[in-house]
Amino acid sequence: MPASLTLHALPPSHPCLAVAKALEIKGLDYERVDLTPGAHRDEMASIYGEGNVTVPGLLVDGEPVHGSRPIMARLEELEPEPTLFPAPIADAVREAERWGDEELQDLGRRFPWGAMHFRPEALGTFGGGEPLDPAGTDFAMRFVHGSWKYHGISCELLAADLAAFPAKVEHVEELASEGVIGGAEPNAADLQIGSTIRILLTIGDLEPILAGSAGERIALTHFPDYPGHVPAGAFPAGWVPAAA
């Protein structure tokens, strides 16, 4: 009998995007429960244990599995084929998945919220709508300010992140050239890295750095549809490095 699966998620979350794609690849039926941003922390902790307040979480026959990497590993146990960790390169895929989770994933939070500090009307586009009107922008400014506090964002941190970003894009390029990601069949590292890059493609300031890259190709292949756009010029002049 197939396992009963319930995914707890937030609609804009890129780790949730990765896990949902993995479930699709595995052909596993599941129930998705989208939580309310902000209020989700208490509900996640009540289901997945104290301290586990972030999404995604997956209940497998009532057993809680928290975080995108543990969920990917559990899905591999439930349905080994098609594999997310192909045998010839499984260790390299796991290391690239770890890097995507620990080194890249937070940029998918800090860069969009960082850019929307300077262009708060763009928040409306992430729900699939138009840029916000003045009243909506007043609300967005308060919401974005709260998100900066929640994610520990500062201008100093953003500037440092942006300066280091081309090196991360180059690392993705190296992983693709080594055959670890970007193959005919997606693996766990493709999903972990591609979902973050897909979010970053919504930021006009980053488009020149990502244009034509392996990361862009992987992101658009596996996650073609994602709403939101922050026009170029959001970040202050001099913060965004020139494209190579």
Side-chain angles (χ1 to χ4, degrees):
M1 183 176 179
S4 172
L5 304 176
T6 302
L7 175 66
H8 292 95
L10 289 173
S13 164
H14 45 301
C16 294
L17 198 65
V19 167
K21 184 66 176 182
L23 285 159
E24 177 188 324
I25 290 168
K26 295 290 190 182
L28 294 168
D29 292 328
Y30 67 99
E31 177 187 6
R32 176 172 174 136
V33 178
D34 283 328
L35 306 178
T36 303
H40 71 282
R41 292 171 58 86
D42 289 342
E43 187 167 2
M44 287 295 294
S46 71
I47 299 170
Y48 295 95
E50 185 178 356
N52 294 326
V53 298
T54 59
V55 292
L58 185 72
L59 294 180
V60 181
D61 288 334
E63 170 202 353
V65 184
H66 180 256
S68 57
R69 285 164 60 201
I71 290 173
M72 297 280 193
R74 188 71 177 94
L75 294 181
E76 192 77 354
E77 294 173 355
L78 289 172
E79 185 57 66
E81 297 297 334
T83 182
L84 296 174
F85 303 92
I89 57 170
D91 288 345
V93 168
R94 288 189 175 90
E95 175 57 25
E97 180 196 26
R98 181 206 62 77
W99 178 85
D101 179 21
E102 296 180 1
E103 303 293 331
L104 187 68
Q105 190 184 101
D106 272 349
L107 299 185
R109 303 178 182 96
R110 294 202 292 266
F111 281 166
W113 288 118
M116 282 188 283
H117 174 83
F118 303 101
R119 295 298 299 267
E121 77 281 2
L123 181 62
T125 68
F126 285 84
E130 298 295 323
L132 297 172
D133 63 12
T137 302
D138 280 336
F139 168 79
M141 290 175 70
R142 295 192 295 271
F143 194 85
V144 171
H145 178 75
S147 297
W148 272 50
K149 183 177 180 180
Y150 178 76
H151 292 297
I153 301 171
S154 69
C155 289
E156 187 175 7
L157 179 60
L158 272 178
D161 282 340
L162 287 164
F165 183 56
K168 289 182 167 56
V169 175
E170 181 58 31
H171 183 62
V172 175
E173 205 73 32
E174 292 168 359
L175 291 171
S177 68
E178 293 165 0
V180 178
I181 58 175
E185 302 299 328
N187 60 45
D190 284 300
L191 303 185
Q192 190 74 252
I193 292 169
S195 60
T196 297
I197 296 294
R198 185 64 189 89
I199 304 296
L200 301 184
L201 285 168
T202 65
I203 304 170
D205 283 329
L206 303 182
E207 289 174 356
I209 300 172
L210 291 166
S213 69
E216 180 189 51
R217 175 174 58 81
I218 292 166
L220 294 178
T221 296
H222 303 305
F223 307 100
D225 300 316
Y226 190 87
H229 182 66
V230 183
F235 290 121
W239 286 23
V240 182

